[in-house]
Amino acid sequence: MTTVEINPTETDFFTDADVAAKAEPYFDYMLANHPVFREPKYGVVIVTGYEEALQVYHQPEVYSSINRTGGPVVDLPVELVGDDISEILEKHREYFSTNDQIVTFDPPVHTDHRAILMGLITPKRLKENEQFLKDTADHFLDEILPLGKSEFIWDYCKGYTILAVADLLGVPEHDHAMLLELLASEPGPTLGNLELQTAHHNRLESLYDYFVARIEERRAVPQDDVLTGMALATFPDGTLPQPIEVARIASNLFAAGQETTVQLMGITLQRIADDAELQERLRQDFSLIPKFIEETLRVEAPIKGSFRITKRPTEIGGLDLPVGTVVMLLNGASGRDGRIFENPTEFEVERPNARQHLAFGRGIHTCPGAPLARAEAVFTIQRFLERTSSISIDEWHHGTADAREWDLISSYKFRGHTHLYLEYTVKDAS
Ligand code: HEM
């Protein structure tokens, strides 16, 4: 890996391949020197500081999420002027990417849809889902362990993360194969790649059709199942949403919850396979697994960052932000803020405040799938460790310990592996 030299006025966070592959030097430089920085090329205000990020997360009336999944440039056929451009932005929603997904909604529409969303991910549903997660971990391990080696991202994570959401939503088992076919067969990672993201979004539209059909069926003939609960869910004012509104929310769980969790599982397994001492510690004490996952999220947030745009003039970190300013929140950096985390660049499995990281965001859009993602990672790691006596990196693919070559997603928004080749020794079943 080349050494990344940071010159904040010249390094283009959005196009620099070295920074995309290894963002830590950029994060650490910005945190130390410019926790809030207006980069010169696009005028995007980049927020790495932890407290500054919270200021943004907690002011949805000032910072819109409409451009949440877009890029550094917002191109609208209208001038963004006035003291409050909320209406102008909403009027031009069609110009923003993935504009039908809840993560891009602002209040009051967001508030209504979030209520439906939280009805789908209740603590009761999460508890009921746990046995499925354990069984499914074993099912995928049954497939890959006898081989002694495998490519973990595609052979395990992609399918596992889809089925985890499917079961949470009560999708009947006979439809699971169809979901795997639809969502786990992409030619490559969609993240940060506009063409593939569009293809992915088209697949989501097939999911919309699937859920609209199930909702209409259940509304006509209610059953004693989870899908009926979804079909009969109402907005906070008691009105029944259109089937498509609920279908979008349900489908969004796949969009938001699959690749992100794939990346978390990939990053954690890479660390375990690459660090024999850490692996032994976790093998000796499974209660460390959740802490290890939080520390991994702190230093290697799968979503490096997300966008906002100012609806009202405001100020942050000493900078004046006129309306229409694009802001990028770098969650991956905020977890390394030395004002919050002692020795922030050290990886400490038992760091007491690791869970304060911003990998799941904060405020009204805080990730509702965090408990599911955590459970998926815990069960995967625990069962993998329980059923093997060693897990290591396949050096034929990734090189020796002193010269690892990872296949990483090249994106300023996301981090993780496109492929991760592992080897393992299966425990004697006797
Ligand atoms: C390690 C895995 C995951 C990470 C790192 C992650 C990260 C995030 C972040 C940072 C946000 C907030 C975005 C913002 O404010 O701009 C978010 C929102 C969201 N996440 Fe996750 N997520 C993960 C897993 C999941 C899972 C498993 C699900 C579904 C079951 C899910 C569903 C969602 C949804 C629906 C939203 C939008 C919520 C809203 O707008 O109110 N996520 N996630």
Side-chain angles (χ1 to χ4, degrees), residues 397-416:
H397 285 282
H398 295 302
T400 50
D402 53 350
R404 293 282 195 235
E405 292 280 344
W406 304 119
D407 303 329
L408 298 172
I409 297 167
S410 181
S411 158
Y412 63 85
K413 285 191 200 168
F414 302 97
R415 74 174 303 145

Side-chain angles (χ1 to χ4, degrees), residues 30-71:
M30 296 309 258
L31 275 166
N33 298 286
H34 311 280
V36 177
F37 180 70
R38 193 191 310 271
E39 58 79 46
K41 188 161 177 191
Y42 314 91
V44 175
V45 171
I46 296 190
V47 180
T48 47
Y50 185 96
E51 291 296 345
E52 292 84 351
L54 288 187
Q55 274 183 50
V56 176
Y57 275 125
H58 289 307
Q59 293 186 81
E61 67 289 356
V62 173
Y63 297 93
S64 169
S65 287
I66 195 165
N67 63 332
R68 153 73 176 73
T69 56

Side-chain angles (χ1 to χ4, degrees), residues 68 102-103 110 114 256-257 260 303 306 308 359-361 365 367-369:
R68 153 73 176 73
I102 184 171
V103 76
H110 175 264
R114 177 93 185 183
T260 43
I303 299 186
S306 28
R308 295 290 191 268
F360 291 120
H365 293 277
C367 180

Side-chain angles (χ1 to χ4, degrees), residues 197-358:
Q197 266 180 353
T198 308
H200 186 67
H201 199 254
N202 293 341
R203 285 165 198 240
L204 270 187
E205 298 210 346
S206 308
L207 269 188
Y208 295 170
D209 295 342
Y210 172 82
F211 281 111
V212 164
R214 300 294 81 73
I215 288 162
E216 284 172 345
E217 280 165 20
R218 294 316 194 265
R219 281 186 183 175
V221 185
Q223 297 179 23
D224 184 16
D225 68 1
V226 180
L227 284 174
T228 301
M230 178 194 295
L232 301 180
T234 56
F235 285 134
D237 68 359
T239 55
L240 197 62
Q242 294 298 319
I244 183 64
E245 291 179 296
V246 187
R248 281 197 193 113
I249 295 171
S251 307
N252 286 179
L253 294 188
F254 291 97
Q258 195 220 345
E259 286 288 338
T260 43
T261 314
V262 167
Q263 298 321 322
L264 173 62
M265 298 205 303
I267 295 165
T268 49
L269 256 300
Q270 178 230 304
R271 281 185 175 274
I272 290 171
D274 210 15
D275 183 340
E277 204 179 304
L278 166 72
Q279 187 176 140
E280 192 48 35
R281 249 181 107 188
L282 298 180
R283 284 186 185 281
Q284 294 302 325
D285 182 359
F286 288 152
S287 76
L288 291 178
I289 295 174
K291 296 177 187 168
F292 160 67
I293 291 168
E294 295 311 316
E295 180 68 345
T296 305
L297 284 163
R298 182 186 74 79
V299 294
E300 295 192 81
I303 299 186
K304 282 189 211 163
S306 28
F307 290 104
R308 295 290 191 268
I309 183 168
T310 50
K311 298 192 268 194
R312 298 181 183 169
T314 189
E315 178 274 334
I316 188 167
L319 294 185
D320 285 326
L321 275 51
V323 293
T325 304
V326 174
V327 175
M328 186 163 205
L329 294 165
L330 292 184
N331 304 323
S334 303
R336 306 168 70 87
D337 190 333
R339 295 171 294 178
I340 305 295
F341 303 101
E342 245 178 71
N343 302 323
T345 57
E346 299 294 312
F347 190 88
E348 293 171 12
V349 173
E350 294 193 76
R351 182 182 289 277
N353 68 343
R355 226 178 139 100
Q356 264 179 270
H357 62 70
L358 298 180

